[in-house]
Amino acid sequence: MTDQRQPEHAIHPIFTTRWSARSFTGETMPESDLLAMLEAARWAHSAANRQPWRFSYALRGDRNFDQYVGFLDDGNREWGHKAAAIVIVLSARRTKPTDGSPPRPIGSHSLDTGCALQSLTLQAAMMDYIAHPMGGVLPDKIRAELGVIDEDYKVECGIAIGKLAPAEQLPERFRERERKSQRRPLSDTAFRGEFKG
Ligand SMILES: Cc1cc2nc3c(=O)[nH]c(=O)nc-3n(C[C@H](O)[C@H](O)[C@H](O)COP(=O)(O)O)c2cc1C
């Protein structure tokens, strides 16, 4: 299998350059780099511009970095502990009106937040970082320790961010998977006129 990515149509190279590696160097990163990634996320599009995404993060070296590593499930913690930053991604399930009216559900909170996640990971790739999303987090622990109210916010995922290290530095069971994945053909995904899903 090749780990070369060959797009079927001409696209900006960042889309195939970005990938979810697991091997991090264990270095720290400047907060300004992470803030640039979060800034990219900030400018994502969302339904009615409600911007329901929220991020809570710790940088390697922070007092609570180990706490954030502890928010990952066992499999992700095995490699994620070498990241330079761990970001927890949440989405607001409902509005917070300031005029006394009752909160209204935000139907697209997860979809909107996925847009922001993509902006963050692409900005990271442009800055020569790996930003690896992880659904494998511990929502109960995150809610309990960060004081997140489930009715208000959904814990969406975590992101491990850092600089790429050689695959050989990974625990053995992850090494084989440390390659750029391929995609289904576009014709299996996008249909002109008739839906063939
Ligand atoms: C919402 C979401 C959850 C994911 N959860 C995990 C996870 O828990 N652990 C993991 O190693 N990778 C996880 N990934 C990474 C995917 O496996 C990866 O994006 C996919 O295999 C495509 O590979 P690429 O990102 O290298 O292109 C997740 C990705 C997304 C978008």
Side-chain angles (χ1 to χ4, degrees):
M1 191 172 87
T2 171
D3 60 1
Q4 291 291 312
R5 287 177 157 176
Q6 189 54 53
E8 294 176 26
H9 299 271
I11 54 174
H12 193 285
I14 200 64
F15 293 103
T16 48
T17 301
R18 183 215 57 77
W19 69 301
S20 301
R22 293 183 175 83
S23 190
F24 293 111
T25 58
E27 290 168 282
T28 58
M29 69 188 284
E31 186 177 26
S32 55
D33 284 359
L34 181 60
L35 291 176
M37 297 170 204
L38 293 167
E39 179 69 16
R42 176 180 169 231
W43 289 100
H45 40 4
S46 59
N49 198 19
R50 286 199 195 99
Q51 307 162 60
W53 45 77
R54 302 287 185 276
F55 304 97
S56 194
Y57 64 88
L59 292 156
R60 174 175 294 283
D62 285 358
R63 181 180 45 80
N64 50 5
F65 183 75
D66 289 345
Q67 179 191 22
Y68 275 65
V69 170
F71 291 155
L72 311 184
D73 70 13
D74 290 348
N76 287 327
R77 206 179 317 125
E78 240 183 285
W79 52 268
H81 73 96
K82 288 188 78 178
I86 302 288
V87 179
I88 300 299
V89 182
L90 308 104
S91 66
R93 297 183 195 272
R94 52 188 198 172
T95 59
K96 263 194 188 165
T98 49
D99 60 1
S101 60
R104 301 233 312 265
I106 301 176
S108 57
H109 62 97
S110 288
L111 182 57
D112 294 337
T113 302
C115 295
L117 171 66
Q118 174 74 330
S119 296
L120 187 156
T121 60
L122 290 174
Q123 179 65 33
M126 282 183 240
M127 296 167 68
D128 204 24
Y129 279 93
I130 296 293
H132 188 145
M134 299 161 293
V137 294
L138 307 175
D140 290 343
K141 192 172 165 70
I142 292 169
R143 279 194 291 268
E145 295 186 20
L146 295 183
V148 174
I149 298 168
D150 193 28
E151 212 181 357
D152 289 331
Y153 295 100
K154 180 179 177 187
V155 175
E156 296 283 357
C157 66
I159 318 172
I161 300 175
K163 290 285 184 178
L164 183 64
E168 296 70 49
Q169 293 181 20
L170 274 174
E172 187 159 0
R173 73 187 186 96
F174 294 110
R175 275 180 223 157
E176 181 55 27
R177 280 193 273 163
E178 190 72 346
R179 47 176 57 228
K180 288 189 174 175
S181 56
Q182 298 301 321
R183 293 296 184 267
R184 286 198 300 263
L186 185 58
S187 57
D188 286 0
T189 303
F191 316 108
R192 184 171 181 176
E194 281 173 61
F195 179 65
K196 299 184 193 118

